[in-house]
Amino acid sequence: MTTRRESSYLSFTPRRTSFDNLIVLANYEERLKDARKVVWRDRGEPAIDVHNLRQCLLHGARGGLRAGIIAFNTRAGVNLVLLLARIKSLTKEKRFALIRHALFGSDSFRAAAMLASFVALYRIILNALPLIFPANVPIGQNLRKILFSNQDENRTFVMDDSPTSSSSPSPPLPRSPVLGARREARLSSSAQIHQERVRKKTCRWHSVLAGAIAGAVAVSFEKRSRQTVIAQQLFVRGLQGSYNAYSEKRGFRIPHGDALIFVLATAQILHAFLLSPHTLPNSYRRWLEQAMHAPREFLSIHHNMVRRGTYDPSDLARILMRPDLHPENVTFIEQWRTTLPPYGPCVTTHPHLTHCLSVPPDRFVSVARWILPVYGAVHFVPLLLFKRAAFARTPIRMILRTLWGTVRSTAFLSAAFAVYQGWFCMMQNAHRAVGGQRSGVVPEWFRASLVSRPAHWLGGLIVGLSVFIEAKHRHGELAMYVLPKALESVWVTLRGRGLVLHTGKYGNPLFTAFAMGMVMNDPQHLSGFVRRVLYQFIGPN
């Protein structure tokens, strides 16, 4: 005899009425909404009201667990996408091991531990401080209450030893009115709720202290190299929030301030790239080498000639062995080797071209072809993930708008490297032209200044002006991206000259604590992207 298996999930049978089906579907939709809230917060979510330290701990633990899960999945997903982009070039024996490492490697667990500890500690400290130090009570009185609470309680409550007494303390006797004393008004229920909110009001220093402690502990879970990058990004975001808050309060504003920051940072980065490459992060330096589309040997030759007046013959030999080296450029390199001016020959940056005037257009096209897929993904992925409703309403308009943004971003970066390539060639051509004049016509100091370090820095300033090709709303994000690199270059340079001290292994956590305190001091004045990220992980409180 066969028995009919009952469904373990939704079962729509003819006996159910349409009303029952609607209820089941409504419950199913509610469960889907609850599951969606686990990974994405709706805007305007109300703050969670906590009344004691135990609730603070539970509130922080829930937020930390949620943040850790999201961080783990996000880091694992990014690692997997990056691996799949180059998996065809790997052997089949290595693919499974690399996929397993991308999904369950130490990077994913470090990211989960960092964000989980930050959210948990920040929530606990932020919600516990108003309970320990109420806003409407002086701090000194709070400290005395915490330190001497046991003695005060022993003196205040007297237990009745009579058999009819309960285990609870007896109510205090009514006190006689004191002449001149202020009467305590009876408050309504709504007024009492208002007083409770005032008592638990979060002060500014609460969020600063919570952000500093949570940031210092959280960043310790990451690698030393990533700690520096995280601390730098948080620091510049804190500077951005502080400036926006000061600008709003005082009515002070620098026209095109974000573009000015980008110009100054770009000048320092390009100066360091050619003359002090060790002051830049290795990953960023490799990216600049790819973007410039110049042989790596040229950078070594130019740096050594400017710094020491010599070069490594093996670097020049590798350039002379290039199959795309034009014969006229070989003759120019031989002439350079006999005179040895204080720079590397510019023909080593364009071995296949003989005329410097034709180099910037060629560099523009090569950089655009290289960076176009990257910017295409940068502009189209957010459209498909976060603007699906607008895309469904007006797909043609959104596609054209995204295409225009991709073209502008590609033109911005391509123009930047094309301009700097043209400036580099112009410096050397001017130096050779001035050197061909009769002795005494042009001062030697002027000729040397044409290829000096300030000349390299000035070229970086001119390159930074290409940011005006990009959309104005992206100027701030671009400035926040290059500013940490420039500040790190300046810091390493000053440390090499003995002007600043080594911070040791505690430098990054302390720097992160300072930066995170700045960020949480004025979170409402941060950029929209940073505010959305903080809200998704931390919530309203």
Side-chain angles (χ1 to χ4, degrees), residues 236-471:
V236 298
R237 297 295 177 177
L239 289 178
Q240 182 187 30
S242 300
Y243 169 75
N244 291 338
Y246 181 83
S247 176
E248 181 180 317
K249 183 178 180 180
R250 304 293 182 182
F252 172 76
R253 182 177 178 272
I254 300 177
H256 301 289
D258 44 9
L260 178 61
I261 292 175
F262 180 85
V263 169
L264 295 175
T266 301
Q268 174 60 32
I269 289 173
L270 292 179
H271 173 272
F273 176 64
L274 292 179
L275 303 183
S276 302
H278 65 281
T279 62
L280 295 174
N282 293 330
S283 58
Y284 190 63
R285 188 173 67 247
R286 288 192 296 267
W287 182 85
L288 288 175
E289 292 174 358
Q290 293 178 351
M292 187 168 283
H293 286 72
R296 184 176 299 179
E297 294 80 11
F298 149 74
L299 299 172
S300 176
I301 293 174
H302 184 73
H303 172 263
N304 291 331
M305 288 300 301
V306 174
R307 291 288 187 177
R308 306 181 183 91
T310 60
Y311 69 94
D312 188 353
S314 62
D315 292 332
L316 188 61
R318 281 192 289 270
I319 290 180
L320 292 173
M321 294 174 60
R322 290 178 61 94
D324 59 343
L325 182 62
H326 198 278
E328 294 184 13
N329 290 338
V330 176
T331 304
F332 185 87
I333 292 175
E334 294 298 335
Q335 294 176 357
W336 172 86
R337 187 155 51 178
T338 58
T339 57
L340 287 182
Y343 51 78
C346 68
V347 296
T348 56
T349 64
H350 49 88
H352 60 293
L353 298 174
T354 58
H355 299 287
C356 292
L357 291 178
S358 60
V359 175
D362 177 80
R363 193 56 45 87
F364 183 93
V365 173
S366 60
V367 175
R369 192 178 300 164
W370 171 71
I371 202 63
L372 180 62
V374 178
Y375 274 126
V378 168
H379 285 272
F380 273 96
V381 169
L383 172 65
L384 300 177
L385 292 180
F386 306 115
K387 300 180 180 179
R388 290 182 300 227
F391 179 73
R393 289 194 301 269
T394 56
I396 303 299
R397 179 178 176 272
M398 296 301 296
I399 290 176
L400 292 177
R401 184 179 177 182
T402 306
L403 283 175
W404 174 239
T406 303
V407 171
R408 290 186 70 171
S409 299
T410 303
F412 145 70
L413 194 67
S414 304
F417 285 101
V419 168
Y420 198 71
Q421 177 63 57
W423 177 266
F424 186 78
C425 291
M426 188 190 69
M427 286 194 305
Q428 299 191 11
N429 289 325
H431 185 269
R432 288 192 295 269
V434 170
Q437 301 293 328
R438 291 180 300 174
S439 177
V441 175
V442 179
E444 186 61 29
W445 64 266
F446 178 77
R447 185 185 180 212
S449 66
L450 295 175
V451 291
S452 62
R453 297 181 188 178
H456 289 78
W457 206 83
L458 180 61
L461 282 178
I462 298 175
V463 169
L465 296 176
S466 62
V467 72
F468 288 101
I469 301 176
E470 185 60 279

Side-chain angles (χ1 to χ4, degrees), residues 4-13 16 20-32:
R4 182 180 179 184
R5 186 177 65 88
E6 295 293 336
S7 176
S8 59
Y9 196 51
L10 298 180
S11 179
F12 297 96
T13 62
R16 289 184 179 271
D20 294 334
N21 294 339
L22 290 176
I23 292 178
V24 172
L25 289 175
N27 293 333
Y28 179 67
E29 291 293 334
E30 288 295 327
R31 287 195 293 269
L32 286 180

